[in-house]
Amino acid sequence: MISSPGAALIRRQQFLLKCLGAYRNKSCNTSSRSIKMWSVMSGGTALEADAISVLRSITPSLHLSRHKGQAGKIAVIGGCREYTGAPYFSAISALRIGADLSHVFCTKDAGPVIKSYSPELIVHPILEESYSIRDEEKKSVSAKIIAEIDKWMERFDCIVIGPGLGRDSFLLDCVSDIMKRARQANVPMVIDGDGLFLVTNDLDLVSGYPLAVLTPNVNEYKRLVQKLLSSEVNDQDGAGQLLTLAKRIGATILRKGKADHISDGDAVHGVSVYGSPRRCGGQGDILSGSVAVFLSWARQCAVIGEVKMNPTVLACIAASVVLRKSASLAFDSKRRSTLTGDIIECLGRSLEEICPVS
Amino acid sequence: MISSPGAALIRRQQFLLKCLGAYRNKSCNTSSRSIKMWSVMSGGTALEADAISVLRSITPSLHLSRHKGQAGKIAVIGGCREYTGAPYFSAISALRIGADLSHVFCTKDAGPVIKSYSPELIVHPILEESYSIRDEEKKSVSAKIIAEIDKWMERFDCIVIGPGLGRDSFLLDCVSDIMKRARQANVPMVIDGDGLFLVTNDLDLVSGYPLAVLTPNVNEYKRLVQKLLSSEVNDQDGAGQLLTLAKRIGATILRKGKADHISDGDAVHGVSVYGSPRRCGGQGDILSGSVAVFLSWARQCAVIGEVKMNPTVLACIAASVVLRKSASLAFDSKRRSTLTGDIIECLGRSLEEICPVS
């Protein structure tokens, strides 16, 4: 029987609802690892869902009739003279998850290096840092950068802000303008690393924007809590505090840690699938690139029908479980020697084991 | 039974003492290779210890609750227009041994090249050579470099000075200042290659600094002996001369050779695990990066309890045995064609065979 694409999407939506709401106190096993995924509603009700099923539900089928770009066009805004690995990890992870096109917008110095890591990426070395321009040029250079970005913005399904961005004031001002343009164009944003530094100091950039996802690590989360809640991190009521913070910002937060906690201000979801004890730098970049792709996919199936599910939450859940499974596979093979590149190499196998193509 | 981390550290310390002192005339077999490790006390008493056990004892357990950075943050100071491979080998070896973050501080010309070798490294192209600056600029450029380094110094658990540094006078003067800052901040230093040229001509940089490790090869050792002991290398009493030299400098020396000899001025330890007859360039860089990581680990378990073991000596013993085992594994597979990159690829397997994660 051949069913219509619309009917298939509705079935996936119904399945998602079941995954996020109806499965209480249940865990499922996959590849001999225990998968645990729980949710806390704002009223305090504990719900349990299934990250594997969320991933399966938002991942689109592949057909020979599809065109280049339909599986996602992602852009990473990051990469400066000092940092080039982070934007590469984020952008190449987006491709390895299944995006069709992955762009990087970085500084002139970073361009040739990021290009050299892989011919798979489209790298635009158009950003500038303060040291390379005179004060009197700043306005015109900034306008030129924004004009260049504007040519591309509406083509992207999601942009990642921050991997390897650095802290240069001129560059951060430009990226603030880029974020404003993205928001005007209704383009989803995943904000990590130095992008979070930017957002923590200028909350208006994401405040009340439901298509924004913040992915703080321990220290970045601490700064957000201190700045926005004027308090310290409360691990006794971690879920409640995350919920409050997400509600205050009006965006989705993926708090990275031993378990990942996700909230859009309505509920708190946790993913504690076994990952890896290795803490080499760069794993956060895999996550940001993955969230971007899953978010572009989740938007396609989450807005069908009358009940709306938050695609940012679905994307965070899916990205978290894939990263954890990939880290686990890489660690099984490379042990203490595991590096971020090894984990990226395992993204495809993880996806195929959880969510086979056919 | 779950024991406290403190109790586990004390057990490891007791075990280390046993490895270094109590095991006389003993050798252990691993992977069909004969492992030999001996020590000569300053009084002439021959002691025999077990390099494998030292390695096992200082290598930390991996837990899911650990954060990025806890397994080590290493920096390599080296890399100029002429040499770019050496700092890469040293920094990537640190990651493959198990460090979480590995930085390289190199000249502007070397930066893009070292970055392009691997996105896993964080490369700061902030150093300068004489050819690129005018005499009247030197003071201000030097101050700027030191200010940049100062922002990072206290974050590092160990720095490696010298791989691919070259002999440019301005650059070496800057690196002298960096070493003084490291010493002020109590950051351990591993000194190799052109860093040893610097130290041989200005002993004050490391004199009496117990957290310094010098890793000379045959020629570098010869120059140290000639300069500091005003004599030639005496292979009849190699251990005694090494002991005298280490005592004179007040730091630890790892003398590389057919067998590696290690002394901090109190005892001489040898590691003669079978390695490889291949002498391709770059193996010393693997060693320097490895010593740096093991030193950061050894410091964590060597200062517990009343009896202090010298972490620099433990680190040298561990790095020596891992490099030798990795070289042996690589040579088994690549034979005459073995290169340094092949040996680095075997670091993880060596570690896992000697010291399994679980």
Side-chain angles (χ1 to χ4, degrees):
Chain A
M1 190 185 79
I2 300 169
S3 59
S4 71
L9 281 173
I10 289 168
R11 276 203 307 279
R12 280 161 65 193
Q13 184 216 22
Q14 287 167 340
F15 188 66
L16 276 170
L17 280 170
K18 222 165 51 166
C19 300
L20 284 174
Y23 288 173
R24 289 167 191 271
N25 306 317
K26 188 179 171 186
S27 68
C28 84
N29 287 315
T30 179
S31 301
S32 81
R33 297 280 185 200
S34 173
I35 304 293
K36 216 169 101 189
M37 155 75 210
W38 49 267
S39 308
V40 180
M41 292 299 287
S42 55
T45 314
L47 295 176
E48 200 158 306
D50 180 347
I52 298 288
S53 300
V54 168
L55 173 62
R56 285 181 185 151
S57 302
I58 64 173
T59 301
S61 306
L62 293 177
H63 300 294
L64 290 177
S65 57
R66 287 168 71 92
H67 304 305
K68 180 171 78 178
Q70 284 184 306
K73 300 182 290 295
I74 306 302
V76 175
I77 317 290
C80 60
R81 185 168 59 164
E82 200 160 13
Y83 304 110
T84 51
Y88 163 74
F89 287 140
S90 183
I92 200 76
S93 296
L95 287 179
R96 288 285 182 200
I97 290 290
D100 285 342
L101 292 164
S102 191
H103 295 244
V104 176
F105 290 82
C106 61
T107 68
K108 283 185 178 146
D109 286 341
V113 176
I114 299 174
K115 286 170 183 283
S116 77
Y117 292 144
S118 171
E120 311 280 355
L121 305 177
I122 301 165
V123 180
H124 309 253
I126 63 165
L127 305 179
E128 297 276 6
E129 288 178 83
S130 304
Y131 73 86
S132 65
I133 45 169
R134 295 192 304 273
D135 280 352
E136 60 271 26
E137 291 176 322
K138 284 185 174 171
K139 209 169 168 182
S140 65
V141 170
S142 178
K144 210 172 150 189
I145 290 168
I146 296 303
E148 183 65 23
I149 292 273
D150 274 347
K151 289 198 294 188
W152 290 93
M153 187 61 82
E154 292 197 1
R155 306 187 203 183
F156 296 129
D157 297 302
C158 188
I159 62 173
V160 182
I161 304 278
L165 193 57
R167 298 279 175 98
D168 181 75
S169 59
F170 176 76
L171 180 52
L172 290 182
D173 285 347
C174 277
V175 173
S176 294
D177 288 340
I178 293 170
M179 291 175 76
K180 289 171 191 162
R181 299 301 178 119
R183 200 167 164 167
Q184 281 166 9
N186 221 32
V187 174
M189 286 187 274
V190 180
I191 298 137
D192 191 43
D194 297 314
L196 289 169
F197 170 79
L198 194 57
V199 162
T200 305
N201 293 325
D202 184 3
L203 193 67
D204 286 345
L205 292 169
V206 291
S207 182
Y209 186 48
L211 291 175
V213 177
L214 281 56
T215 55
N217 63 18
V218 173
N219 289 325
E220 290 155 351
Y221 186 74
K222 188 177 168 189
R223 282 195 288 270
L224 276 169
V225 168
Q226 286 170 338
K227 187 75 185 266
L228 301 177
L229 302 183
S230 302
S231 67
E232 292 303 316
V233 173
N234 174 3
D235 280 321
Q236 298 300 308
D237 183 25
Q241 192 175 48
L242 175 61
L243 194 78
T244 306
L245 187 65
K247 200 184 285 261
R248 177 78 53 92
I249 298 176
T252 296
I253 301 172
L254 192 170
R255 182 190 177 189
K256 297 178 283 198
K258 189 179 167 189
D260 293 333
H261 295 151
I262 298 141
S263 181
D264 59 355
D266 283 336
V268 179
H269 308 265
V271 181
S272 57
V273 177
Y274 187 82
S276 151
R278 195 67 175 101
R279 294 288 173 268
C280 51
Q283 295 183 58
D285 305 311
I286 302 179
L287 190 77
S288 66
S290 305
V291 171
V293 185
F294 286 124
L295 180 45
S296 75
W297 294 350
R299 287 187 82 197
Q300 291 175 23
C301 61
V303 293
I304 306 292
E306 285 175 19
V307 182
K308 286 190 180 176
M309 290 157 294
N310 194 341
T312 55
V313 170
L314 300 176
C316 290
I317 292 169
S320 173
V321 74
V322 169
L323 172 57
R324 282 163 176 267
K325 186 168 172 59
S326 303
S328 170
L329 288 173
F331 189 74
D332 283 348
S333 152
K334 301 280 183 154
R335 315 303 282 168
R336 288 181 191 278
S337 212
T338 308
L339 296 185
T340 294
D342 302 320
I343 301 173
I344 291 170
E345 283 302 303
C346 292
L347 287 172
R349 197 175 130 207
S350 302
L351 280 167
E352 187 61 14
E353 285 186 12
I354 299 174
C355 182
V357 167
S358 55
Chain B
M1 192 187 78
I2 298 169
S3 59
S4 70
L9 281 172
I10 289 168
R11 278 203 306 279
R12 278 160 65 193
Q13 184 216 21
Q14 287 168 339
F15 188 65
L16 277 170
L17 281 169
K18 222 165 55 167
C19 300
L20 285 173
Y23 287 174
R24 289 167 190 269
N25 306 316
K26 188 180 172 186
S27 68
C28 85
N29 288 314
T30 179
S31 300
S32 79
R33 297 281 184 200
S34 174
I35 304 294
K36 215 169 101 190
M37 154 76 211
W38 49 268
S39 309
V40 180
M41 293 298 288
S42 55
T45 314
L47 294 177
E48 198 155 308
D50 180 347
I52 299 287
S53 300
V54 168
L55 173 61
R56 285 180 185 152
S57 302
I58 64 173
T59 301
S61 306
L62 293 178
H63 300 294
L64 289 177
S65 56
R66 288 169 71 93
H67 303 307
K68 181 169 75 177
Q70 284 185 307
K73 301 181 290 294
I74 306 301
V76 176
I77 316 289
C80 60
R81 186 167 58 163
E82 200 161 11
Y83 306 111
T84 51
Y88 162 76
F89 286 140
S90 183
I92 201 78
S93 296
L95 287 179
R96 288 288 182 198
I97 290 290
D100 285 342
L101 293 164
S102 190
H103 295 244
V104 175
F105 290 82
C106 61
T107 68
K108 282 184 180 147
D109 286 340
V113 177
I114 300 173
K115 283 168 184 283
S116 77
Y117 293 145
S118 171
E120 309 281 354
L121 305 177
I122 300 167
V123 180
H124 309 257
I126 62 165
L127 304 179
E128 298 275 8
E129 288 178 84
S130 302
Y131 72 85
S132 65
I133 44 169
R134 295 192 303 274
D135 280 352
E136 61 270 28
E137 290 178 321
K138 285 185 174 172
K139 208 169 168 184
S140 67
V141 170
S142 176
K144 210 171 150 191
I145 290 168
I146 296 303
E148 184 64 25
I149 291 273
D150 275 346
K151 289 198 295 189
W152 290 93
M153 187 61 82
E154 293 198 359
R155 305 187 203 185
F156 296 129
D157 297 303
C158 188
I159 62 174
V160 182
I161 305 277
L165 193 57
R167 298 277 175 99
D168 180 77
S169 60
F170 176 76
L171 180 52
L172 290 182
D173 284 347
C174 277
V175 174
S176 295
D177 288 341
I178 292 169
M179 291 174 75
K180 288 170 192 163
R181 298 301 177 118
R183 200 169 165 167
Q184 280 167 8
N186 220 32
V187 174
M189 286 187 274
V190 180
I191 298 137
D192 191 42
D194 297 314
L196 289 169
F197 171 79
L198 194 58
V199 162
T200 305
N201 294 325
D202 184 1
L203 193 67
D204 286 346
L205 291 169
V206 292
S207 182
Y209 186 48
L211 291 175
V213 177
L214 281 55
T215 55
N217 61 18
V218 173
N219 288 327
E220 291 155 350
Y221 186 73
K222 187 178 168 188
R223 282 196 290 271
L224 276 169
V225 168
Q226 286 171 339
K227 187 75 185 264
L228 301 177
L229 302 183
S230 303
S231 67
E232 292 303 314
V233 172
N234 174 3
D235 279 324
Q236 297 301 308
D237 183 24
Q241 191 175 47
L242 175 62
L243 193 79
T244 305
L245 186 64
K247 199 184 287 260
R248 177 77 53 91
I249 298 176
T252 295
I253 301 173
L254 191 170
R255 181 191 177 189
K256 297 179 284 198
K258 188 179 166 191
D260 293 334
H261 295 152
I262 298 140
S263 180
D264 59 354
D266 282 338
V268 179
H269 308 266
V271 182
S272 57
V273 177
Y274 187 80
S276 152
R278 221 13 209 126
R279 293 288 174 266
C280 52
Q283 294 182 58
D285 305 311
I286 302 178
L287 190 77
S288 65
S290 305
V291 171
V293 185
F294 286 123
L295 179 46
S296 76
W297 294 350
R299 288 188 82 197
Q300 290 175 23
C301 62
V303 294
I304 306 292
E306 286 176 19
V307 182
K308 286 189 180 176
M309 293 157 292
N310 194 340
T312 55
V313 170
L314 300 176
C316 290
I317 291 169
S320 174
V321 74
V322 169
L323 171 58
R324 284 163 174 268
K325 187 169 172 57
S326 304
S328 169
L329 288 173
F331 187 73
D332 284 348
S333 152
K334 303 277 182 157
R335 315 303 286 168
R336 289 181 191 279
S337 207
T338 309
L339 297 184
T340 294
D342 303 318
I343 301 172
I344 291 170
E345 281 303 301
C346 292
L347 287 172
R349 197 176 129 206
S350 302
L351 277 167
E352 186 61 15
E353 286 186 11
I354 299 174
C355 181
V357 167
S358 54

